[in-house]
Amino acid sequence: MKINLSKIKIGKRYVFNVYYDYGAGSGSQGSYNIIGEVKEINAEFIRVIPMENIEEGNRRSVKLRGGYITEVKTC
């Protein structure tokens, strides 16, 4: 599924559903949700500051690879 990055805005909060696949085996695939504020958007990834980090006063961010994001919802 291709996510339209033009609808995602820097500084806004979203819920991202992310799929991961670490290779062969039944325990190597899965998905998780992350709620956070968008810090950066480029062709390869979206940099997000998770809400739990913001609540703790920590501005450390994570990279979400564009090809693995399956759904985006606004908060």
Side-chain angles (χ1 to χ4, degrees):
M1 177 184 223
K2 182 74 174 166
I3 300 298
N4 187 352
L5 297 180
S6 67
K7 294 186 177 190
I8 298 173
K9 304 297 180 198
I10 294 174
K12 300 284 184 179
R13 292 182 179 170
Y14 297 92
V15 178
F16 296 92
N17 188 342
V18 181
Y19 169 79
Y20 63 88
D21 183 1
Y22 295 127
S26 61
S28 61
Q29 299 94 16
S31 67
Y32 62 92
N33 290 326
I34 185 169
I35 301 170
E37 180 180 313
V38 175
K39 182 176 179 180
E40 176 185 357
I41 302 171
N42 67 32
E44 290 183 40
F45 61 86
I46 299 173
R47 186 177 296 276
V48 176
I49 305 170
M51 284 303 299
E52 56 266 7
N53 288 3
I54 293 171
E55 290 168 357
E56 294 174 0
N58 179 356
R59 301 296 288 179
R60 190 173 290 167
S61 62
V62 296
K63 289 181 183 177
L64 303 179
R65 301 283 173 199
Y68 295 99
I69 299 171
T70 58
E71 186 178 11
V72 179
K73 299 178 189 174
T74 57
C75 286

